[in-house]
Amino acid sequence: MRAEIEAAVIEILARQLLLPAAEIAPDARIEDLGLDSLGKAEAIFALEERFDISVPFNANEPDQPNFDFSTVGSIVRGVEALIAAKAG
Amino acid sequence: MRRVVVTGLGTVNALAHDLPGTLAAFRDGRCGIGPLTFREAERLSIRIGAEVRDWRPEERFPAKDLPLLDRVTQYALVAGAEAVAMAGLPAAIGPRGGAILGTAAGGIGTWEDSYRAVYAEGRNRVSPLVVPRLMHNAPAAHLSMRHGLGGPVLAVSSACASANHAIGLAFQLIRAGAAEVMLAGGTEAMLCFGGVKAWEGLRVLAPDACRPFSLGRKGLVIGDGAGVLVLEAEDHARARGARILAEVAGFGMTADAADIVAPGGDGAVRAMRAALADAGLAPEEIGYVNAHGTGTLANDRAEAVAIREVFGPAPPPVSSTKAMHGHAIGATGALEAMACIQALTESLLPPTAGVLAADPDCGLDVVVGQARPAQVTAVLSNAFAFGGLNAVLAFRRAD
């Protein structure tokens, strides 16, 4: 499951960044990838649609207490937790 | 050059359905934000807004007129009638009068209802009045009919700067001699399911409160309402013995030409400087700035930097009244113009509600709590919209 989520996260980020998926490392920092605020909003929307989840993300909270969007890995773990919460 | 003065004000918003109630709320720092009550609000993740409460259009308009009037037009007509009555203008203002109203979403409630009918409910027809109800120019057009305005009448749309653009353009038209009297301002009725759903996706709405320039701010809170100002050539106003509330002293408009949502570049600074230059005012003559102050992380920091660049390290007191009336998008500049005129006429600076603790990164003297007594002779009102469109008005105390 984690591999599937990771692949989906990378694919969604790659589409926003106009990069080949192979160029996005699983430990890449989102800031270093150069994703702007609208790209972030669109990526979150894509994740919600792909996994039928609601991501608690507010662009006005720099530390994002409810969803860590800082690295590919943290997004994958966040999505995993939301899917688990939905199933539970 | 002809001077342009304000002789009437009218408003409907979350704080009150009239000007006196709104000014009283501004004095007290009362907040008009509460739970959303419209259809299907429970399906939203953001459930607060600054709705116009207890609005009963059937008590305001004849039954035969209502099918033509989206809420965005109802608010404008009630605000317009209050402003015209305050100004003491005749029932038919005539061919030298006009109207420019800003709106961002126009009759979005009418779009929503008719789409719901044909798509969700599978109906095959909608009201024949959908088009005249929802068009962006409907509020301005109805004002022209109601008050006999036969001159320039149009709508302008620049998202959150719409009302400032409308007031600024009306000011320029009078100054240039193209009209004697203009009703100017903005109106908005975006608080419906589809309107808030669209905003939710941008992830900039606060779930709890609007806290401009405060630590712990979580974004903007949308409001509904309208504000209408009567602008008049000074000689015209004096000739008929009208009470002059304030002077529209200057207007500056610029574009960032950079990003569709993020503030940036020098557009805000250039707009404030353009308004000051147009008014013949030095920065140190400004006693109060009504900030755009949306309560988003991005706006408030960028605006604070811009204000300090224009005014230096000790800028005049600043507040954002959006924490009281909400971000009324295309109407907000008109509501904020009323706060500015209150500062000039009552020597009270309207406060920023909702501030927990001033954000030290903003570095501004933010008026919090209740209105602050202060003698001011000139003020600025900022509006910095999505699209990077900036419109700043300067008002001066009437002499």
Side-chain angles (χ1 to χ4, degrees):
Chain A
M1 187 65 184
R2 171 166 290 198
E4 187 198 330
I5 295 171
E6 184 177 284
V9 168
I10 288 176
E11 181 202 318
I12 285 166
L13 291 172
R15 191 168 304 154
Q16 285 303 322
L17 293 159
L18 305 176
L19 286 175
E23 286 182 25
I24 299 178
D27 59 348
R29 291 191 54 78
I30 302 305
E31 208 177 304
D32 299 340
L33 293 171
L35 191 66
D36 68 9
S37 63
L38 273 189
K40 206 179 273 188
E42 287 192 84
I44 291 167
F45 170 76
L47 289 170
E48 291 181 324
E49 288 286 286
R50 171 81 172 70
F51 294 107
D52 190 23
I53 52 175
S54 285
V55 177
F57 181 89
N58 178 330
N60 298 297
E61 295 179 90
D63 48 351
Q64 288 304 325
N66 301 313
F67 192 89
D68 183 353
F69 204 85
S70 59
T71 67
V72 172
S74 71
I75 297 171
V76 171
R77 286 189 295 278
V79 169
E80 247 179 353
L82 289 168
I83 293 170
K86 191 178 64 162
Chain B
M1 203 149 44
R2 298 210 307 176
R3 298 214 295 180
V4 178
V5 297
V6 182
T7 55
L9 299 171
T11 181
V12 170
N13 62 76
L15 297 165
H17 297 176
D18 59 14
L19 179 73
T22 301
L23 296 182
F26 285 175
R27 279 179 219 116
D28 298 341
R30 191 160 65 74
C31 174
I33 294 166
L36 293 173
T37 59
F38 52 73
R39 177 167 55 179
E40 293 194 68
E42 68 282 358
R43 284 178 58 205
L44 296 165
S45 60
I46 300 293
R47 294 182 196 154
I48 60 166
E51 285 183 312
V52 174
R53 312 267 162 204
D54 304 317
W55 185 248
R56 285 184 282 276
E58 65 283 1
E59 295 173 8
R60 301 269 189 175
F61 300 97
K64 70 172 177 51
D65 293 353
L66 270 180
L68 264 171
L69 307 177
D70 184 277
R71 280 192 301 124
V72 77
T73 300
Q74 296 171 19
Y75 297 154
L77 282 174
V78 171
E82 184 184 21
V84 168
M86 183 178 186
L89 286 163
I93 294 170
R96 295 285 289 156
I100 304 182
L101 287 188
T103 186
I108 186 174
T110 296
W111 286 107
E112 171 160 309
D113 290 345
S114 56
Y115 280 170
R116 188 190 292 271
V118 291
Y119 296 140
E121 297 165 2
R123 304 226 307 261
N124 284 326
R125 58 184 73 83
V126 296
S127 158
L129 304 179
V130 164
V131 169
R133 265 178 77 103
L134 62 72
M135 58 195 194
H136 272 43
N137 55 326
H142 280 284
L143 274 185
S144 79
M145 293 181 273
R146 187 65 54 102
H147 299 289
L149 301 161
V153 175
L154 64 148
V156 300
S157 194
S158 54
C160 322
S162 300
N164 270 23
H165 275 116
I167 296 165
L169 292 173
F171 157 67
Q172 292 180 338
L173 280 181
I174 294 172
R175 196 165 62 174
E180 299 288 344
V181 177
M182 293 292 295
L183 307 192
T187 184
E188 205 70 80
M190 213 187 291
L191 287 175
C192 59
F193 179 77
V196 178
K197 180 55 79 181
W199 274 98
E200 272 184 2
L202 280 172
R203 310 269 168 178
V204 295
L205 297 184
D208 54 349
C210 178
R211 308 187 190 283
F213 304 111
S214 172
L215 290 176
R217 64 185 181 277
K218 292 184 180 175
L220 61 91
V221 176
I222 297 175
D224 272 354
V228 175
L229 289 72
V230 176
L231 305 190
E232 201 168 342
E234 185 191 24
D235 50 352
H236 187 273
R238 293 204 188 278
R240 65 184 190 88
R243 181 187 166 209
I244 292 171
L245 302 169
E247 180 191 357
V248 185
F251 177 47
M253 51 180 162
T254 65
D256 293 343
D259 191 279
I260 195 68
V261 291
D266 63 351
V269 168
R270 288 188 293 115
M272 283 187 270
R273 287 189 172 143
L276 290 169
D278 192 38
L281 287 164
E284 55 272 20
E285 292 179 85
I286 298 294
Y288 165 67
V289 177
N290 186 294
H292 190 55
T294 55
T296 62
L297 200 62
N299 173 82
D300 293 3
R301 282 198 185 153
E303 184 170 13
V305 167
I307 288 172
R308 287 201 307 273
E309 186 166 340
V310 170
F311 291 97
V318 170
S319 73
S320 169
T321 48
K322 287 186 176 72
M324 296 186 280
H325 53 65
H327 190 345
I329 316 293
T332 204
L335 304 180
E336 291 161 37
M338 296 182 195
C340 286
I341 291 168
Q342 180 174 41
L344 295 168
T345 56
E346 298 183 10
S347 299
L348 281 176
L349 310 184
T352 311
V355 173
L356 301 171
D359 180 354
D361 285 346
C362 291
L364 295 174
D365 172 13
V366 179
V367 181
V368 299
Q370 294 188 326
R372 181 195 296 180
Q375 291 291 330
V376 293
T377 55
V379 303
L380 280 194
S381 185
N382 286 344
F384 306 134
F386 273 4
L389 312 184
N390 311 298
V392 176
L393 292 163
F395 295 95
R396 189 159 31 213
R397 197 166 66 191
D399 29 61

mmCIF file of all heavy atoms in Angstrom, chain A residues 60-62, chain B residues 208-219 293-301 304 320 323 352-364 366-368:
data_model
loop_
_atom_site.group_PDB
_atom_site.id
_atom_site.type_symbol
_atom_site.label_atom_id
_atom_site.label_comp_id
_atom_site.label_asym_id
_atom_site.label_seq_id
_atom_site.Cartn_x
_atom_site.Cartn_y
_atom_site.Cartn_z
ATOM 1 N N ASN A 60 -2.471 29.081 5.398
ATOM 2 C CA ASN A 60 -2.058 30.161 6.296
ATOM 3 C C ASN A 60 -1.322 29.695 7.536
ATOM 4 O O ASN A 60 -0.954 30.505 8.377
ATOM 5 C CB ASN A 60 -3.289 30.955 6.716
ATOM 6 C CG ASN A 60 -3.944 31.596 5.521
ATOM 7 O OD1 ASN A 60 -3.333 32.433 4.865
ATOM 8 N ND2 ASN A 60 -5.133 31.154 5.194
ATOM 9 N N GLU A 61 -1.140 28.389 7.676
ATOM 10 C CA GLU A 61 -0.439 27.887 8.854
ATOM 11 C C GLU A 61 0.914 27.342 8.416
ATOM 12 O O GLU A 61 0.980 26.267 7.832
ATOM 13 C CB GLU A 61 -1.268 26.791 9.528
ATOM 14 C CG GLU A 61 -2.574 27.324 10.088
ATOM 15 C CD GLU A 61 -3.407 26.236 10.733
ATOM 16 O OE1 GLU A 61 -3.231 26.005 11.938
ATOM 17 O OE2 GLU A 61 -4.201 25.603 10.021
ATOM 18 N N PRO A 62 1.975 28.079 8.700
ATOM 19 C CA PRO A 62 3.277 27.696 8.170
ATOM 20 C C PRO A 62 3.739 26.321 8.663
ATOM 21 O O PRO A 62 4.386 25.576 7.928
ATOM 22 C CB PRO A 62 4.220 28.803 8.655
ATOM 23 C CG PRO A 62 3.459 29.597 9.659
ATOM 24 C CD PRO A 62 2.005 29.321 9.469
ATOM 25 N N ASP B 208 -12.037 29.395 11.891
ATOM 26 C CA ASP B 208 -12.438 29.829 13.229
ATOM 27 C C ASP B 208 -12.785 31.315 13.327
ATOM 28 O O ASP B 208 -13.806 31.682 13.895
ATOM 29 C CB ASP B 208 -11.331 29.492 14.239
ATOM 30 C CG ASP B 208 -9.974 30.046 13.819
ATOM 31 O OD1 ASP B 208 -9.832 30.497 12.664
ATOM 32 O OD2 ASP B 208 -9.045 30.031 14.649
ATOM 33 N N ALA B 209 -11.933 32.190 12.815
ATOM 34 C CA ALA B 209 -12.127 33.637 12.972
ATOM 35 C C ALA B 209 -11.202 34.354 11.992
ATOM 36 O O ALA B 209 -10.261 33.766 11.474
ATOM 37 C CB ALA B 209 -11.788 34.075 14.400
ATOM 38 N N CYS B 210 -11.496 35.635 11.775
ATOM 39 C CA CYS B 210 -10.628 36.470 10.950
ATOM 40 C C CYS B 210 -9.746 37.292 11.888
ATOM 41 O O CYS B 210 -10.260 38.041 12.719
ATOM 42 C CB CYS B 210 -11.480 37.383 10.076
ATOM 43 S SG CYS B 210 -10.523 38.504 9.048
ATOM 44 N N ARG B 211 -8.433 37.111 11.777
ATOM 45 C CA ARG B 211 -7.501 37.767 12.704
ATOM 46 C C ARG B 211 -6.383 38.478 11.928
ATOM 47 O O ARG B 211 -5.227 38.049 11.971
ATOM 48 C CB ARG B 211 -6.865 36.732 13.626
ATOM 49 C CG ARG B 211 -7.850 35.815 14.340
ATOM 50 C CD ARG B 211 -7.134 34.945 15.365
ATOM 51 N NE ARG B 211 -7.993 33.912 15.905
ATOM 52 C CZ ARG B 211 -8.946 34.124 16.827
ATOM 53 N NH1 ARG B 211 -9.140 35.341 17.282
ATOM 54 N NH2 ARG B 211 -9.680 33.122 17.265
ATOM 55 N N PRO B 212 -6.687 39.582 11.276
ATOM 56 C CA PRO B 212 -5.660 40.260 10.472
ATOM 57 C C PRO B 212 -4.484 40.731 11.327
ATOM 58 O O PRO B 212 -4.673 41.207 12.453
ATOM 59 C CB PRO B 212 -6.409 41.453 9.881
ATOM 60 C CG PRO B 212 -7.856 41.078 9.938
ATOM 61 C CD PRO B 212 -7.999 40.228 11.148
ATOM 62 N N PHE B 213 -3.289 40.581 10.801
ATOM 63 C CA PHE B 213 -2.037 41.042 11.433
ATOM 64 C C PHE B 213 -1.797 40.412 12.804
ATOM 65 O O PHE B 213 -0.996 40.910 13.584
ATOM 66 C CB PHE B 213 -2.014 42.573 11.554
ATOM 67 C CG PHE B 213 -2.209 43.276 10.239
ATOM 68 C CD1 PHE B 213 -3.359 43.992 9.964
ATOM 69 C CD2 PHE B 213 -1.230 43.197 9.249
ATOM 70 C CE1 PHE B 213 -3.540 44.618 8.740
ATOM 71 C CE2 PHE B 213 -1.404 43.823 8.020
ATOM 72 C CZ PHE B 213 -2.559 44.534 7.775
ATOM 73 N N SER B 214 -2.488 39.307 13.096
ATOM 74 C CA SER B 214 -2.365 38.666 14.401
ATOM 75 C C SER B 214 -1.583 37.364 14.283
ATOM 76 O O SER B 214 -1.664 36.663 13.273
ATOM 77 C CB SER B 214 -3.758 38.357 14.947
ATOM 78 O OG SER B 214 -3.681 37.572 16.122
ATOM 79 N N LEU B 215 -0.875 37.039 15.344
ATOM 80 C CA LEU B 215 -0.362 35.678 15.462
ATOM 81 C C LEU B 215 -1.563 34.743 15.485
ATOM 82 O O LEU B 215 -2.621 35.096 16.006
ATOM 83 C CB LEU B 215 0.438 35.528 16.759
ATOM 84 C CG LEU B 215 1.782 36.260 16.814
ATOM 85 C CD1 LEU B 215 2.401 36.090 18.212
ATOM 86 C CD2 LEU B 215 2.741 35.744 15.750
ATOM 87 N N GLY B 216 -1.388 33.544 14.940
ATOM 88 C CA GLY B 216 -2.465 32.558 14.976
ATOM 89 C C GLY B 216 -3.544 32.793 13.938
ATOM 90 O O GLY B 216 -4.589 32.148 13.971
ATOM 91 N N ARG B 217 -3.307 33.720 12.984
ATOM 92 C CA ARG B 217 -4.336 33.931 11.963
ATOM 93 C C ARG B 217 -4.338 32.737 11.011
ATOM 94 O O ARG B 217 -3.298 32.156 10.711
ATOM 95 C CB ARG B 217 -4.096 35.237 11.211
ATOM 96 C CG ARG B 217 -2.808 35.322 10.396
ATOM 97 C CD ARG B 217 -2.654 36.725 9.805
ATOM 98 N NE ARG B 217 -1.454 36.878 8.989
ATOM 99 C CZ ARG B 217 -0.233 37.135 9.468
ATOM 100 N NH1 ARG B 217 -0.034 37.231 10.774
ATOM 101 N NH2 ARG B 217 0.793 37.282 8.641
ATOM 102 N N LYS B 218 -5.541 32.392 10.566
ATOM 103 C CA LYS B 218 -5.681 31.209 9.713
ATOM 104 C C LYS B 218 -6.360 31.528 8.389
ATOM 105 O O LYS B 218 -6.850 30.625 7.728
ATOM 106 C CB LYS B 218 -6.461 30.128 10.453
ATOM 107 C CG LYS B 218 -5.688 29.549 11.641
ATOM 108 C CD LYS B 218 -6.430 28.424 12.295
ATOM 109 C CE LYS B 218 -5.619 27.889 13.477
ATOM 110 N NZ LYS B 218 -6.385 26.861 14.222
ATOM 111 N N GLY B 219 -6.432 32.796 8.045
ATOM 112 C CA GLY B 219 -6.962 33.098 6.729
ATOM 113 C C GLY B 219 -8.132 34.044 6.754
ATOM 114 O O GLY B 219 -8.436 34.673 7.766
ATOM 115 N N GLY B 293 -5.580 43.881 4.622
ATOM 116 C CA GLY B 293 -5.658 43.058 5.828
ATOM 117 C C GLY B 293 -6.620 41.894 5.794
ATOM 118 O O GLY B 293 -7.535 41.809 6.606
ATOM 119 N N THR B 294 -6.381 40.939 4.905
ATOM 120 C CA THR B 294 -7.340 39.834 4.767
ATOM 121 C C THR B 294 -7.245 38.827 5.902
ATOM 122 O O THR B 294 -8.176 38.069 6.134
ATOM 123 C CB THR B 294 -7.085 39.065 3.459
ATOM 124 O OG1 THR B 294 -5.715 38.636 3.446
ATOM 125 C CG2 THR B 294 -7.367 39.931 2.255
ATOM 126 N N GLY B 295 -6.086 38.802 6.577
ATOM 127 C CA GLY B 295 -5.889 37.772 7.595
ATOM 128 C C GLY B 295 -5.225 36.521 7.056
ATOM 129 O O GLY B 295 -5.118 35.520 7.763
ATOM 130 N N THR B 296 -4.772 36.561 5.794
ATOM 131 C CA THR B 296 -3.964 35.443 5.299
ATOM 132 C C THR B 296 -2.506 35.727 5.639
ATOM 133 O O THR B 296 -2.094 36.877 5.806
ATOM 134 C CB THR B 296 -4.087 35.236 3.774
ATOM 135 O OG1 THR B 296 -3.600 36.403 3.107
ATOM 136 C CG2 THR B 296 -5.530 34.982 3.372
ATOM 137 N N LEU B 297 -1.753 34.630 5.712
ATOM 138 C CA LEU B 297 -0.325 34.756 5.987
ATOM 139 C C LEU B 297 0.335 35.645 4.929
ATOM 140 O O LEU B 297 1.084 36.566 5.233
ATOM 141 C CB LEU B 297 0.284 33.346 5.952
ATOM 142 C CG LEU B 297 1.594 33.132 6.639
ATOM 143 C CD1 LEU B 297 1.452 33.414 8.125
ATOM 144 C CD2 LEU B 297 2.053 31.685 6.412
ATOM 145 N N ALA B 298 0.008 35.358 3.664
ATOM 146 C CA ALA B 298 0.696 36.026 2.561
ATOM 147 C C ALA B 298 0.333 37.501 2.481
ATOM 148 O O ALA B 298 1.211 38.361 2.369
ATOM 149 C CB ALA B 298 0.360 35.330 1.246
ATOM 150 N N ASN B 299 -0.968 37.835 2.524
ATOM 151 C CA ASN B 299 -1.335 39.245 2.370
ATOM 152 C C ASN B 299 -0.745 40.101 3.471
ATOM 153 O O ASN B 299 -0.151 41.144 3.212
ATOM 154 C CB ASN B 299 -2.847 39.452 2.381
ATOM 155 C CG ASN B 299 -3.183 40.956 2.384
ATOM 156 O OD1 ASN B 299 -3.186 41.604 1.340
ATOM 157 N ND2 ASN B 299 -3.400 41.533 3.561
ATOM 158 N N ASP B 300 -0.961 39.698 4.719
ATOM 159 C CA ASP B 300 -0.664 40.620 5.812
ATOM 160 C C ASP B 300 0.827 40.944 5.882
ATOM 161 O O ASP B 300 1.204 42.085 6.140
ATOM 162 C CB ASP B 300 -1.168 40.052 7.140
ATOM 163 C CG ASP B 300 -2.698 39.981 7.193
ATOM 164 O OD1 ASP B 300 -3.335 40.312 6.180
ATOM 165 O OD2 ASP B 300 -3.233 39.589 8.233
ATOM 166 N N ARG B 301 1.657 39.938 5.642
ATOM 167 C CA ARG B 301 3.105 40.226 5.660
ATOM 168 C C ARG B 301 3.508 41.113 4.492
ATOM 169 O O ARG B 301 4.258 42.068 4.666
ATOM 170 C CB ARG B 301 3.895 38.919 5.624
ATOM 171 C CG ARG B 301 3.904 38.275 6.982
ATOM 172 C CD ARG B 301 5.003 37.251 7.125
ATOM 173 N NE ARG B 301 4.854 36.611 8.426
ATOM 174 C CZ ARG B 301 5.257 35.394 8.713
ATOM 175 N NH1 ARG B 301 5.866 34.664 7.794
ATOM 176 N NH2 ARG B 301 5.083 34.891 9.911
ATOM 177 N N ALA B 304 2.268 44.645 5.070
ATOM 178 C CA ALA B 304 3.038 45.342 6.105
ATOM 179 C C ALA B 304 4.370 45.847 5.534
ATOM 180 O O ALA B 304 4.778 46.982 5.804
ATOM 181 C CB ALA B 304 3.278 44.418 7.292
ATOM 182 N N SER B 320 -7.635 46.571 10.072
ATOM 183 C CA SER B 320 -8.412 45.878 9.043
ATOM 184 C C SER B 320 -9.792 45.616 9.616
ATOM 185 O O SER B 320 -9.950 44.807 10.534
ATOM 186 C CB SER B 320 -7.765 44.563 8.631
ATOM 187 O OG SER B 320 -8.701 43.837 7.841
ATOM 188 N N ALA B 323 -12.177 41.999 9.931
ATOM 189 C CA ALA B 323 -12.437 41.099 11.057
ATOM 190 C C ALA B 323 -13.835 41.341 11.629
ATOM 191 O O ALA B 323 -14.347 40.506 12.368
ATOM 192 C CB ALA B 323 -11.385 41.293 12.139
ATOM 193 N N THR B 352 -9.317 46.574 14.656
ATOM 194 C CA THR B 352 -9.192 45.239 14.083
ATOM 195 C C THR B 352 -9.681 44.272 15.148
ATOM 196 O O THR B 352 -9.041 44.122 16.196
ATOM 197 C CB THR B 352 -7.720 44.937 13.766
ATOM 198 O OG1 THR B 352 -7.178 46.038 13.042
ATOM 199 C CG2 THR B 352 -7.575 43.669 12.952
ATOM 200 N N ALA B 353 -10.819 43.638 14.909
ATOM 201 C CA ALA B 353 -11.307 42.649 15.882
ATOM 202 C C ALA B 353 -10.471 41.365 15.740
ATOM 203 O O ALA B 353 -9.763 41.173 14.756
ATOM 204 C CB ALA B 353 -12.779 42.353 15.635
ATOM 205 N N GLY B 354 -10.532 40.534 16.743
ATOM 206 C CA GLY B 354 -9.984 39.179 16.597
ATOM 207 C C GLY B 354 -8.491 39.031 16.786
ATOM 208 O O GLY B 354 -7.961 37.922 16.670
ATOM 209 N N VAL B 355 -7.788 40.132 17.061
ATOM 210 C CA VAL B 355 -6.332 40.023 17.202
ATOM 211 C C VAL B 355 -6.004 39.365 18.548
ATOM 212 O O VAL B 355 -6.460 39.806 19.601
ATOM 213 C CB VAL B 355 -5.671 41.412 17.105
ATOM 214 C CG1 VAL B 355 -4.176 41.325 17.419
ATOM 215 C CG2 VAL B 355 -5.891 41.999 15.720
ATOM 216 N N LEU B 356 -5.227 38.295 18.486
ATOM 217 C CA LEU B 356 -4.802 37.602 19.711
ATOM 218 C C LEU B 356 -3.548 38.272 20.258
ATOM 219 O O LEU B 356 -3.450 38.588 21.432
ATOM 220 C CB LEU B 356 -4.522 36.128 19.404
ATOM 221 C CG LEU B 356 -5.713 35.328 18.834
ATOM 222 C CD1 LEU B 356 -5.274 33.955 18.370
ATOM 223 C CD2 LEU B 356 -6.829 35.223 19.866
ATOM 224 N N ALA B 357 -2.575 38.472 19.379
ATOM 225 C CA ALA B 357 -1.341 39.189 19.709
ATOM 226 C C ALA B 357 -0.751 39.637 18.385
ATOM 227 O O ALA B 357 -0.767 38.873 17.410
ATOM 228 C CB ALA B 357 -0.363 38.276 20.443
ATOM 229 N N ALA B 358 -0.293 40.880 18.343
ATOM 230 C CA ALA B 358 0.210 41.419 17.080
ATOM 231 C C ALA B 358 1.354 40.544 16.555
ATOM 232 O O ALA B 358 2.219 40.117 17.314
ATOM 233 C CB ALA B 358 0.678 42.850 17.278
ATOM 234 N N ASP B 359 1.331 40.265 15.249
ATOM 235 C CA ASP B 359 2.408 39.490 14.627
ATOM 236 C C ASP B 359 3.642 40.381 14.529
ATOM 237 O O ASP B 359 3.622 41.373 13.802
ATOM 238 C CB ASP B 359 1.957 39.041 13.237
ATOM 239 C CG ASP B 359 3.021 38.225 12.520
ATOM 240 O OD1 ASP B 359 4.147 38.102 13.049
ATOM 241 O OD2 ASP B 359 2.727 37.710 11.427
ATOM 242 N N PRO B 360 4.708 40.061 15.270
ATOM 243 C CA PRO B 360 5.892 40.940 15.232
ATOM 244 C C PRO B 360 6.507 41.021 13.838
ATOM 245 O O PRO B 360 7.166 42.014 13.520
ATOM 246 C CB PRO B 360 6.860 40.277 16.233
ATOM 247 C CG PRO B 360 6.348 38.891 16.445
ATOM 248 C CD PRO B 360 4.879 38.890 16.141
ATOM 249 N N ASP B 361 6.256 40.032 12.989
ATOM 250 C CA ASP B 361 6.791 40.083 11.632
ATOM 251 C C ASP B 361 6.110 41.160 10.793
ATOM 252 O O ASP B 361 6.621 41.533 9.741
ATOM 253 C CB ASP B 361 6.623 38.728 10.938
ATOM 254 C CG ASP B 361 7.625 37.703 11.458
ATOM 255 O OD1 ASP B 361 8.585 38.125 12.140
ATOM 256 O OD2 ASP B 361 7.435 36.509 11.192
ATOM 257 N N CYS B 362 4.929 41.622 11.228
ATOM 258 C CA CYS B 362 4.249 42.675 10.468
ATOM 259 C C CYS B 362 4.778 44.056 10.879
ATOM 260 O O CYS B 362 4.888 44.942 10.038
ATOM 261 C CB CYS B 362 2.743 42.596 10.657
ATOM 262 S SG CYS B 362 2.013 41.123 9.887
ATOM 263 N N GLY B 363 5.094 44.248 12.137
ATOM 264 C CA GLY B 363 5.715 45.502 12.565
ATOM 265 C C GLY B 363 4.860 46.731 12.325
ATOM 266 O O GLY B 363 5.359 47.764 11.878
ATOM 267 N N LEU B 364 3.570 46.633 12.608
ATOM 268 C CA LEU B 364 2.670 47.768 12.398
ATOM 269 C C LEU B 364 2.004 48.149 13.716
ATOM 270 O O LEU B 364 1.855 47.321 14.609
ATOM 271 C CB LEU B 364 1.578 47.390 11.384
ATOM 272 C CG LEU B 364 2.032 47.100 9.957
ATOM 273 C CD1 LEU B 364 0.853 46.602 9.135
ATOM 274 C CD2 LEU B 364 2.647 48.334 9.295
ATOM 275 N N VAL B 366 -1.135 48.353 15.004
ATOM 276 C CA VAL B 366 -2.473 47.889 14.637
ATOM 277 C C VAL B 366 -3.477 48.320 15.712
ATOM 278 O O VAL B 366 -3.269 48.060 16.896
ATOM 279 C CB VAL B 366 -2.481 46.351 14.470
ATOM 280 C CG1 VAL B 366 -3.881 45.863 14.099
ATOM 281 C CG2 VAL B 366 -1.477 45.926 13.403
ATOM 282 N N VAL B 367 -4.544 48.996 15.284
ATOM 283 C CA VAL B 367 -5.613 49.382 16.212
ATOM 284 C C VAL B 367 -6.417 48.125 16.537
ATOM 285 O O VAL B 367 -6.947 47.474 15.634
ATOM 286 C CB VAL B 367 -6.541 50.440 15.577
ATOM 287 C CG1 VAL B 367 -7.633 50.855 16.560
ATOM 288 C CG2 VAL B 367 -5.738 51.640 15.109
ATOM 289 N N VAL B 368 -6.470 47.767 17.814
ATOM 290 C CA VAL B 368 -7.188 46.546 18.208
ATOM 291 C C VAL B 368 -8.264 46.891 19.234
ATOM 292 O O VAL B 368 -8.282 47.995 19.799
ATOM 293 C CB VAL B 368 -6.224 45.484 18.801
ATOM 294 C CG1 VAL B 368 -5.177 45.071 17.781
ATOM 295 C CG2 VAL B 368 -5.549 46.000 20.057
#
